Amino acid sequence: MASTAKNRFSQDEKRRDSDHVSFLKHRGFRWLWIALALSGVSIAGYVLIDQQPRPNGGSWYGYTLGTIGLLLIIWLSLLGVRKRRINPGAWSLKAWTSAHVYLGLSLVVVGTLHTGFQIGWNVHTLAYVLMLLVIATGIYGVIVYATLPASLSANRKEMTRAQMLEALTAIDRQLESAAQPLGRAEADWVIAALAQDTFHGGAWGRLTGSYPHCATRRALRGMPQGAAEERVIALLEKRTQQLAQIRGALRIRALLEVWLFIHIPLTIALIAALTAHVISVFYYW
Amino acid sequence: MAGVFAVAIIGSGPAGLSAAARAAALGLSHILLEKTDHLSDTIYKYQKGKHVMATPSNLVLRSDVDFEAGKREVILGKWDEQIAGAHVNVKYHAEAKAIRGTGDPIPGSVQQIVTRARDGTKSVKEIQRHAPPYAIELTNGEVVMAENVILAIGTQGNPNRMRCPGADLPHVQYQLDDPAEYVDEHIVIVGTGDAGIENARGLAEDPAQRNTVSILNRGTDFPTAKAANVSALMADHEAGKLMVRTESETHSIEPGFITLTTRDGELRIPCDRIIARIGSAPPRAFVEECGIEFSSEDRSAFPTLSPVFETTAPGIFVIGALAGYPLIKHCMNQGHDVIEFINGNTELKPADEPIIAAKFAGLPGNRSTEEWLEFLRTNVSILNGMNPLQMREFMLDSTARAFAPGEVIFERNAPGSSLFGIASGSVAVEVNPADPSVTIAIEAGSIFGEVGLISGRRRGATVRAAEDTIVVEISRLAALKLQSQVPAAKKAIERISIERQLLQMFGSGLRREDVAPLVDAAKVEEKRAGEVVVTEGADDKDVFIIRRGSMIVEKQIGDRPVFLSYLPAGSYFGEMAVIDGSARTATVKAAIKSEVIRLPGEGFLELLAKNPALRERAMKDMAGRRATNAFIEGQKDSFSSAVDMYSQTAQFLVDNGIGEATDVLLIDEKLCIGCDNCEKACADSHDGLTRLDREAGKTYAHLHVPTSCRHCEHPHCMADCPPNAIKRGPDGEVFIDETCIGCGNCQRNCPYGVIRMDAKPPKKPSLLQWMLFGSGPGPGEAPYSWRKKKAEAEGAPKAKLAIKCDMCSGIDGGPACVRACPTGAAIRVAPDKFLTFTKLTEDAE
């Protein structure tokens, strides 16, 4: 009731007052600048420090870059834990994502300089290549995160996923009763459309949004014009539109998520390769 | 006619049956009248297996009948057994129609019943009260005689009855217990509220029942039903499962048929059963006809009662929910107590005595509970009009506290909607945030904190005790009750609040004497959402202060209204036209249901003329507003689309109730990737259940208002919470505490659908166990099937309680939904900060 200063007022007020910006712009591109500084310093060091006999992962500067890179990779991979463990701690996942993106990109510089441009068919290069692949998939992720959400929202038209499916069920119910007076062949078209799994088409269909075997469209094409068919056709058209919305949502979400299926396993492979890389380096020191 | 009973108890709910059991135990001649064929109809009608709670836990039960929290069936079973065992004289199917005294007329005791017609006209009916014994006339024509009558009829009232010819036939019913009971019937449902729609859909649900169901709608719209119910009904209609007959009314009923009046004339259709769900009438009219006076005309008012629950009709007592005590334990205790009182026991202390005594335990002065209550009642002016019973009830929801000189009572910007009364001492209000030494004194007997109560907003100033001070802190609920019970207190609070608002509004330097004429001339007016207060171009000259609610300012630019700004409670408007004599430059209308104080323009001008400093401040404010308006108008010429965007987005947010929010979750769908991490974080921060639905809700220009609590200034959910479990916490959050009884009132009252009823799920395996071994359902809310299976394995089912957003109170970093958003799409904002041009046209990406 009557309360004294023991509350979050000023903190909450700051939150309510803060600008609403994306993870890329977070705090005036704070992590971009830090990543650029890290890359700049690494390049400057690489150019200015005289490494003997030649720039190499095994020189003291090479070890320094390697240590920074390794720590960064381990920290970056912890994002997966961070986002699933929200308490305790007063941190924001947006800041973590922002740092993850920019520091992850700076690894291209740090990692490459660490190699001293010595590439070969060995576990060391494997780790380097895996790292580049992880970063490449990450770049895809950043691009889709920045460009796709608006179309996801536009496609949704204020409907939830459950509502989209409910709308389809409602159409199906009407379609079933409207199809009763149809002839055998026409009724079979409708039955086939109703029987088909909404989610058929597999991964390819999901990613491309192309469903060449859509029974609803086939039924629509096959349906002759007639008094009894008129309502069925209208309902089939409604069904096609509803399916298009569901498939659109599936497609955009698939595009937003598909890279994670590569990014995460590659990260695990990268950590394995890195372990081999580090152990072998120390073993043969 | 049988003899005269010592006491007749009407209604066999917890209050009535406890009273009857006490009467039986004392050997009083009694009769318990119940209108149905079973005891305690309200609890009987609860859903099967519902867990009934027993709060408040610190209140002892004082009854001859047992009660503890448990399943509905167990409680009802025990009551049936104990009532039979106590040889209570129960008369079932006995519905009281009228109660009248059969003794001599009581001189000077006349009851006035005021009825208001729809057109606003009042008519007054006078009833001469007669002395006991009372004749209780039943609907079946029987008459029961009793010296004392106890009304324990609750507040549910009786269902409205049909009135057409044939309405009394046996196949007309007003309730549907089990839709599966009826097969092969032609059933007509009358009434298209939620109850009627749910009944109709239930009867038509299973085609195997082969029922022909129609539902009658007087018009073509469904104004009283939830949108989801209406669309489901229309879908069933289109699917041919049932028939919605619009513009149809019942003309007459006969066995096997019903005749309807439709747009195309009369229609006679087969009908085996009629289920009428046409609302229910509150019991007030019946109670008033018995000669019982209510404390005010307010719809939420209760009967005026003496300390022994006696009404203004001598010998008629009111207890239970009808007396304002909705909790089962209170009801049962009152049932016990009222019989003791009737039986002549004057020494009995109420069961809540220890609770109230504890409230005064820490205070200096060594007074008894009665003395303290009397001390507060006589010293705090707004409490003068209360009787001792009301004071006790009032004290249950209030606290008395002592403060040392200089001690802070509340701080500026702290949330709080309670009202304070000064019983002794005085307080100092720090009116100038920049300089704490500038204070205004408030003396003993007066009140403070009323702005928080009325506007629902944060405290406007820090208040300290100026000397040793004893205050009574009156919770929002108690303050609202007080105002409806004691009209004089309502007036006093209103006057003080207007005066303070004026003093606070125009800054320091003003004294009470300065604003007194303006306070006298001020009028409080209520405004509906969307109602226009000031019209652009008009030449009226009043000034307004927003007392509660909020307003939006818009201006016609070109052919469209453009949103200029949002005014929260506490702001004033309309001063421009007064100061420079021009016509109104913009339209101001209510964003939500609001109250404004109307100040006459001349009075305002006089005040300005006498106070140059105030004039200067007003001119400065006015210049600021002019600049904002000019800026937006200027933008309109060069960046027309940005202004349209701003104007329409602001309007969209206001339409979605943001105007009454204090802290609302919004999602920028240009950034939202649909990962639902907000929902998962919410569930993981709060017992495993999410309190927000990201996808549901409206969207405009990619700005999405998800289903999630807005922590309203005047929370709708608080309106009818029997244990008073909904409160505002230290961070301004509206939360439900552990005394929730799971009744679901708040869920029904929330217009935004943000409250869900669910049982606390079992504990999940840890995140590490899930990540490494895949055990458990992982982060976020566990699926229903998992929760159910796990809960069953753990044994005793948990009660379903109301859960809602608490703004992550007590969690270090603030709201988890915002913190857990990886892209920055989720933001929580306050309307007065967010509904500005810069914020709404900001490019987030």
Side-chain angles (χ1 to χ4, degrees), chain B residues 383-400:
Chain B
L383 303 181
N384 294 164
M386 300 239 270
N387 68 34
L389 181 72
Q390 287 171 327
M391 269 311 287
R392 291 196 87 87
E393 187 199 343
F394 164 82
M395 210 50 224
L396 283 175
D397 291 324
S398 307
T399 45

Side-chain angles (χ1 to χ4, degrees), chain B residues 111-265:
Chain B
Q111 154 93 341
Q112 292 202 331
I113 301 176
V114 182
T115 34
R116 266 205 188 138
R118 278 197 179 159
D119 55 11
T121 54
K122 283 187 196 175
S123 57
V124 180
K125 181 174 149 192
E126 293 195 339
I127 298 178
Q128 168 65 49
R129 293 195 189 94
H130 287 255
Y134 286 99
I136 305 166
E137 199 184 317
L138 306 183
T139 44
N140 63 6
E142 282 181 59
V143 173
V144 174
M145 295 294 292
E147 281 297 331
N148 295 290
V149 179
I150 296 172
L151 276 182
I153 55 176
T155 49
Q156 295 216 322
N158 289 324
N160 289 332
R161 304 270 159 177
M162 298 193 63
R163 279 185 296 216
C164 62
D168 48 358
L169 287 168
H171 66 289
V172 180
Q173 63 190 58
Y174 297 92
Q175 203 190 337
L176 174 67
D177 292 320
D178 182 8
E181 213 176 306
Y182 308 109
V183 292
D184 276 325
E185 287 194 17
H186 289 267
I187 303 175
V188 173
I189 316 280
V190 184
T192 46
D194 288 313
I197 293 179
E198 277 158 24
N199 286 175
R201 296 195 60 228
L203 287 164
E205 177 63 38
D206 185 1
Q209 282 175 248
R210 296 176 306 274
N211 288 323
T212 309
V213 180
S214 358
I215 180 164
L216 305 188
N217 187 354
R218 198 181 292 185
T220 50
D221 300 328
F222 299 83
T224 57
K226 285 192 188 124
N229 266 337
V230 175
S231 56
L233 178 75
M234 293 321 286
D236 282 358
H237 172 75
E238 277 190 39
K241 290 171 105 176
L242 50 75
M243 180 157 186
V244 180
R245 292 181 182 273
T246 49
E247 296 179 68
S248 304
E249 283 181 72
T250 331
H251 175 267
S252 61
I253 301 168
E254 55 198 294
F257 285 95
I258 183 169
T259 308
L260 309 177
T261 319
T262 70
R263 200 184 45 187
D264 311 319

Side-chain angles (χ1 to χ4, degrees), chain A residues 28-41 99 102-103 106:
Chain A
F29 295 100
R30 172 191 286 182
W31 291 101
L32 172 62
W33 295 115
I34 292 175
L36 283 175
L38 175 65
S39 309
V41 169
Y102 291 120
L103 293 180
S106 71

